[in-house]
Amino acid sequence: KELTSHKAIKDIYNSLNADRRAIVISMWYQLGIGKLSGFKNTLKAMASSKFDEAAKQMLDSDVARKCSNRWHRQSEVMRTGSVTTSYKI
């Protein structure tokens, strides 16, 4: 299912900068739209531009515990809004 088929996620996605959008796409790819929509606290924080909280909530999940390094990097992108800073490019 398309990422933008879920209205709430589409609205949040459209409000983000390109680097944060890339993280949402990565989450969608890894989880699917159903599980991504279950990240209610993360999505709520993103919608409110509370990116420190969104990053924290991303890490409070089973998938983050299983793929720790990847999710820590991605949460840092969500926090900072910069792939360059988070991935040390």
Side-chain angles (χ1 to χ4, degrees):
K1 207 169 179 182
E2 278 189 37
L3 175 66
T4 56
S5 66
H6 190 285
K7 183 175 177 0
I9 294 175
K10 177 182 177 182
D11 292 345
I12 293 166
Y13 177 84
N14 287 334
S15 74
L16 301 174
N17 72 11
D19 290 347
R20 288 186 174 117
R21 284 182 181 186
I23 298 308
V24 173
I25 290 169
S26 178
M27 292 173 71
W28 166 64
Y29 182 78
Q30 185 173 6
L31 301 170
I33 196 70
K35 288 186 180 177
L36 175 58
S37 65
F39 276 67
K40 295 184 186 319
N41 293 331
T42 302
L43 295 169
K44 182 180 175 182
M46 285 183 212
S48 301
S49 298
K50 295 179 180 175
F51 298 113
D52 287 339
E53 181 63 20
K56 177 182 168 190
Q57 292 298 325
M58 286 174 66
L59 296 176
D60 187 22
S61 66
D62 289 338
V63 69
R65 286 183 276 282
K66 291 177 186 172
C67 304
S68 178
N69 291 336
R70 177 182 187 178
W71 278 73
H72 274 88
R73 288 189 306 270
Q74 291 187 344
S75 71
E76 190 63 13
V77 174
M78 186 57 64
R79 189 182 70 72
T80 65
S82 172
V83 170
T84 304
T85 302
S86 303
Y87 279 81
K88 300 185 182 9
I89 298 173

